PDB file of all heavy atoms in Angstrom:
ATOM      1  N   PHE A 194      12.384  41.947   8.673  1.00 94.00           N
ATOM      2  CA  PHE A 194      11.544  41.213   7.704  1.00 94.00           C
ATOM      3  C   PHE A 194      10.075  41.517   7.948  1.00 94.00           C
ATOM      4  O   PHE A 194       9.491  41.203   9.032  1.00 94.00           O
ATOM      5  CB  PHE A 194      11.733  39.683   7.900  1.00 94.00           C
ATOM      6  CG  PHE A 194      10.951  38.843   6.912  1.00 94.00           C
ATOM      7  CD1 PHE A 194      11.068  39.010   5.517  1.00 94.00           C
ATOM      8  CD2 PHE A 194      10.120  37.889   7.367  1.00 94.00           C
ATOM      9  CE1 PHE A 194      10.280  38.225   4.639  1.00 94.00           C
ATOM     10  CE2 PHE A 194       9.335  37.049   6.454  1.00 94.00           C
ATOM     11  CZ  PHE A 194       9.465  37.232   5.107  1.00 94.00           C
ATOM     12  N   SER A 195       9.469  42.268   7.048  1.00 94.00           N
ATOM     13  CA  SER A 195       8.127  42.762   7.223  1.00 94.00           C
ATOM     14  C   SER A 195       7.289  42.458   5.942  1.00 94.00           C
ATOM     15  O   SER A 195       7.036  43.340   5.111  1.00 94.00           O
ATOM     16  CB  SER A 195       8.121  44.266   7.509  1.00 94.00           C
ATOM     17  OG  SER A 195       6.844  44.761   7.810  1.00 94.00           O
ATOM     18  N   PRO A 196       6.853  41.208   5.775  1.00 95.00           N
ATOM     19  CA  PRO A 196       6.144  40.821   4.582  1.00 95.00           C
ATOM     20  C   PRO A 196       4.650  41.285   4.605  1.00 95.00           C
ATOM     21  O   PRO A 196       4.173  41.769   5.623  1.00 95.00           O
ATOM     22  CB  PRO A 196       6.214  39.305   4.581  1.00 95.00           C
ATOM     23  CG  PRO A 196       6.194  38.956   6.066  1.00 95.00           C
ATOM     24  CD  PRO A 196       6.978  40.057   6.690  1.00 95.00           C
ATOM     25  N   THR A 197       3.955  41.043   3.557  1.00 94.00           N
ATOM     26  CA  THR A 197       2.545  41.287   3.442  1.00 94.00           C
ATOM     27  C   THR A 197       1.857  39.944   3.001  1.00 94.00           C
ATOM     28  O   THR A 197       2.252  39.460   1.923  1.00 94.00           O
ATOM     29  CB  THR A 197       2.163  42.414   2.460  1.00 94.00           C
ATOM     30  OG1 THR A 197       2.786  43.610   2.934  1.00 94.00           O
ATOM     31  CG2 THR A 197       0.639  42.663   2.397  1.00 94.00           C
ATOM     32  N   PRO A 198       0.888  39.408   3.692  1.00 95.00           N
ATOM     33  CA  PRO A 198       0.381  39.860   4.981  1.00 95.00           C
ATOM     34  C   PRO A 198       1.498  39.749   6.096  1.00 95.00           C
ATOM     35  O   PRO A 198       2.481  39.134   5.910  1.00 95.00           O
ATOM     36  CB  PRO A 198      -0.742  38.821   5.305  1.00 95.00           C
ATOM     37  CG  PRO A 198      -1.030  38.186   3.968  1.00 95.00           C
ATOM     38  CD  PRO A 198       0.212  38.185   3.194  1.00 95.00           C
ATOM     39  N   SER A 199       1.248  40.453   7.170  1.00 96.00           N
ATOM     40  CA  SER A 199       2.193  40.534   8.242  1.00 96.00           C
ATOM     41  C   SER A 199       2.453  39.211   8.973  1.00 96.00           C
ATOM     42  O   SER A 199       1.678  38.241   8.814  1.00 96.00           O
ATOM     43  CB  SER A 199       1.716  41.614   9.287  1.00 96.00           C
ATOM     44  OG  SER A 199       0.581  41.128   9.906  1.00 96.00           O
ATOM     45  N   LEU A 200       3.500  39.185   9.822  1.00 97.00           N
ATOM     46  CA  LEU A 200       3.835  38.018  10.549  1.00 97.00           C
ATOM     47  C   LEU A 200       2.732  37.761  11.607  1.00 97.00           C
ATOM     48  O   LEU A 200       2.433  36.541  11.937  1.00 97.00           O
ATOM     49  CB  LEU A 200       5.170  38.166  11.293  1.00 97.00           C
ATOM     50  CG  LEU A 200       6.371  38.298  10.312  1.00 97.00           C
ATOM     51  CD1 LEU A 200       7.671  38.507  11.151  1.00 97.00           C
ATOM     52  CD2 LEU A 200       6.532  37.023   9.471  1.00 97.00           C
ATOM     53  N   SER A 201       2.125  38.758  12.128  1.00 97.00           N
ATOM     54  CA  SER A 201       1.033  38.581  13.085  1.00 97.00           C
ATOM     55  C   SER A 201      -0.171  37.909  12.415  1.00 97.00           C
ATOM     56  O   SER A 201      -0.853  37.084  12.975  1.00 97.00           O
ATOM     57  CB  SER A 201       0.614  39.898  13.800  1.00 97.00           C
ATOM     58  OG  SER A 201       0.209  40.900  12.755  1.00 97.00           O
ATOM     59  N   ALA A 202      -0.421  38.324  11.117  1.00 97.00           N
ATOM     60  CA  ALA A 202      -1.510  37.700  10.335  1.00 97.00           C
ATOM     61  C   ALA A 202      -1.164  36.199  10.090  1.00 97.00           C
ATOM     62  O   ALA A 202      -2.051  35.351  10.102  1.00 97.00           O
ATOM     63  CB  ALA A 202      -1.723  38.433   9.078  1.00 97.00           C
ATOM     64  N   MET A 203       0.104  35.949   9.905  1.00 97.00           N
ATOM     65  CA  MET A 203       0.554  34.559   9.671  1.00 97.00           C
ATOM     66  C   MET A 203       0.240  33.661  10.894  1.00 97.00           C
ATOM     67  O   MET A 203      -0.219  32.609  10.769  1.00 97.00           O
ATOM     68  CB  MET A 203       2.059  34.554   9.382  1.00 97.00           C
ATOM     69  CG  MET A 203       2.675  33.192   9.072  1.00 97.00           C
ATOM     70  SD  MET A 203       4.464  33.282   8.887  1.00 97.00           S
ATOM     71  CE  MET A 203       4.961  33.357  10.627  1.00 97.00           C
ATOM     72  N   VAL A 204       0.479  34.273  12.093  1.00 97.00           N
ATOM     73  CA  VAL A 204       0.150  33.483  13.295  1.00 97.00           C
ATOM     74  C   VAL A 204      -1.352  33.359  13.478  1.00 97.00           C
ATOM     75  O   VAL A 204      -1.825  32.218  13.862  1.00 97.00           O
ATOM     76  CB  VAL A 204       0.732  34.271  14.546  1.00 97.00           C
ATOM     77  CG1 VAL A 204       0.361  33.609  15.884  1.00 97.00           C
ATOM     78  CG2 VAL A 204       2.270  34.341  14.478  1.00 97.00           C
ATOM     79  N   ILE A 205      -2.119  34.389  13.231  1.00 98.00           N
ATOM     80  CA  ILE A 205      -3.576  34.244  13.298  1.00 98.00           C
ATOM     81  C   ILE A 205      -4.130  33.162  12.363  1.00 98.00           C
ATOM     82  O   ILE A 205      -5.020  32.346  12.700  1.00 98.00           O
ATOM     83  CB  ILE A 205      -4.199  35.628  12.969  1.00 98.00           C
ATOM     84  CG1 ILE A 205      -3.893  36.620  14.142  1.00 98.00           C
ATOM     85  CG2 ILE A 205      -5.758  35.525  12.827  1.00 98.00           C
ATOM     86  CD1 ILE A 205      -4.255  38.020  13.800  1.00 98.00           C
ATOM     87  N   ASN A 206      -3.570  33.093  11.138  1.00 97.00           N
ATOM     88  CA  ASN A 206      -3.956  32.132  10.154  1.00 97.00           C
ATOM     89  C   ASN A 206      -3.620  30.756  10.567  1.00 97.00           C
ATOM     90  O   ASN A 206      -4.406  29.797  10.500  1.00 97.00           O
ATOM     91  CB  ASN A 206      -3.374  32.443   8.810  1.00 97.00           C
ATOM     92  CG  ASN A 206      -3.696  31.358   7.741  1.00 97.00           C
ATOM     93  OD1 ASN A 206      -2.896  30.572   7.414  1.00 97.00           O
ATOM     94  ND2 ASN A 206      -4.939  31.428   7.250  1.00 97.00           N
ATOM     95  N   LYS A 207      -2.428  30.541  11.134  1.00 97.00           N
ATOM     96  CA  LYS A 207      -1.930  29.217  11.540  1.00 97.00           C
ATOM     97  C   LYS A 207      -2.782  28.636  12.659  1.00 97.00           C
ATOM     98  O   LYS A 207      -3.196  27.502  12.638  1.00 97.00           O
ATOM     99  CB  LYS A 207      -0.492  29.284  11.956  1.00 97.00           C
ATOM    100  CG  LYS A 207       0.092  28.087  12.737  1.00 97.00           C
ATOM    101  CD  LYS A 207       0.152  26.891  11.834  1.00 97.00           C
ATOM    102  CE  LYS A 207       0.870  25.773  12.654  1.00 97.00           C
ATOM    103  NZ  LYS A 207       1.031  24.534  11.844  1.00 97.00           N
TER     104      LYS A 207
END
Side-chain angles (χ1 to χ4, degrees):
F194 181 55
S195 185
T197 301
S199 66
L200 295 177
S201 58
M203 182 184 79
V204 174
I205 291 170
N206 176 258
K207 166 70 175 178

